[in-house]
Amino acid sequence: ALETYAPKIAGRLVWQAQLGRMGYGMVAVARDGLFYVASGDGDLRALKADTGEVIWRNQAGTSIAAGVGADARFATLVSRDNEVITYDNGREAWRKRLPSGVVTPPVVAGERVFVMSVDRVVHAFDAIDGRRLWVLQRPGDALTLSQAGVLTYVGNTLLVGQGPRLLGVDPTKGTVQWDVPLATPRGSNEVERLADLIGPAVRVGDRVCARAFQAAVGCADAVRGAQLWTRNVGGAQAVGGDAERVYGADASDRISAWRASNGDVLWSTEKLLYRGLSG
């Protein structure tokens, strides 16, 4: 039986919007007072974050595999046909097709659109006209995880998860500035050694923390390009966290909290074992 639960705080519904079926791992984006969401059939909306008022709305006309990436001007989706679709203040600006599928939400920053495909290749486009700027492809294992990876930024550095390693990339050139391992894959075959970083990552200031699939949880300093700590712990879902702690469930759904500064275990609970927990 589930544990008895008594709410400790009260919530108040401010607004709600009906989107329809999702069908993909949608992560909503909030930028400069706007809230960007998209349904699985490509209904993209920009809403006022405080009232839910629709600022603009557009229909991609295709089913969505990953999205939404947005800044104050541009919003980007990726279709199941591997098309990167970008909107400029609600008006469709361009579409570009990729050679492989995408499950990681795109990132829009600095008038650029960054997209990571399931083979962990990163494509950079000019947000205004869709011109391809660079492609980052690093040699790695033959297998990759068909699950959202790590793609975000800190300051002027693009952060990319490739295998168990977190890369700091120059967003203008696509060159790797630093490379930090968050796990050391072990196993007798490619499946056992699969340790891709799972997104979304947890970022607080310069510190970025993530789970390496079935291998470890770790944190890095994204400014210095240095590993802060890593702990061997299985698990298949993203971690959460704040300035003080990182939280995650292992493969048996045992939930643990680690001290964000050094990785010390603060507590662990088995009250939700085998519940199939999310990130």
Side-chain angles (χ1 to χ4, degrees):
L2 282 173
E3 295 287 321
T4 300
Y5 172 71
K8 301 293 179 62
I9 62 174
R12 178 177 60 89
L13 180 65
V14 178
W15 57 265
Q16 62 183 359
Q18 183 66 38
L19 284 175
R21 298 187 63 181
M22 301 312 299
Y24 75 104
M26 196 272 287
V27 178
V29 175
R31 293 284 186 274
D32 295 337
L34 295 183
F35 193 68
Y36 297 89
V37 289
S39 65
D41 62 359
D43 180 8
L44 173 63
R45 306 182 198 182
L47 312 173
K48 288 194 70 172
D50 54 354
T51 66
E53 175 190 350
V54 178
I55 301 302
W56 58 258
R57 183 178 181 180
N58 209 323
Q59 174 57 248
T62 183
S63 57
I64 299 304
V68 182
D71 62 9
R73 176 179 174 184
F74 299 99
T76 296
L77 303 170
V78 184
S79 76
R80 294 193 181 275
D81 295 326
N82 307 340
E83 273 192 320
V84 182
I85 310 169
T86 296
Y87 299 84
D88 185 343
N89 286 319
R91 177 186 58 83
E92 184 176 320
W94 51 268
R95 298 189 180 209
K96 294 289 183 178
R97 191 176 298 275
L98 297 180
S100 55
V102 175
V103 293
T104 302
V107 167
V108 180
E111 294 192 347
R112 292 175 173 83
V113 174
F114 305 99
V115 184
M116 182 166 65
S117 49
V118 291
D119 53 8
R120 298 309 190 243
V121 176
V122 180
H123 304 260
F125 300 91
D126 188 300
I128 296 175
D129 57 16
R131 180 167 43 93
R132 194 184 303 269
L133 302 175
W134 50 261
V135 176
L136 174 64
Q137 183 172 8
R138 308 233 311 165
D141 296 330
L143 291 181
T144 57
L145 189 66
S146 184
Q147 190 169 334
V150 172
L151 183 67
T152 185
Y153 61 90
V154 172
N156 293 323
T157 302
L158 183 70
L159 304 184
V160 176
Q162 291 203 335
R165 311 185 75 85
L166 183 66
L167 310 183
V169 177
D170 183 336
T172 62
K173 302 175 183 178
T175 54
V176 177
Q177 299 173 315
W178 49 260
D179 180 339
V180 173
L182 292 186
T184 303
R186 296 180 176 87
S188 59
N189 56 63
E190 291 177 344
V191 175
E192 292 178 349
R193 291 191 297 269
L194 185 59
D196 286 359
L197 298 185
I198 298 172
V202 177
R203 178 201 165 185
V204 177
D206 299 337
R207 185 173 59 229
V208 176
C209 304
R211 178 187 296 282
F213 177 72
Q214 71 181 357
V217 172
C219 293
D221 186 313
V223 173
R224 295 189 294 115
Q227 182 194 98
L228 297 176
W229 58 267
T230 182
R231 297 291 179 266
N232 293 331
V233 54
Q237 301 294 339
V239 294
D242 53 32
E244 301 297 328
R245 301 172 184 84
V246 177
Y247 307 92
D250 63 15
S252 299
D253 295 323
R254 179 183 297 102
I255 305 174
S256 298
W258 300 273
R259 193 183 307 278
S261 59
N262 59 17
D264 288 348
V265 176
L266 297 174
W267 54 258
S268 184
T269 177
E270 298 185 352
K271 292 183 177 182
L272 293 173
L273 283 181
Y274 313 121
R275 296 288 177 179
L277 300 179
S278 67

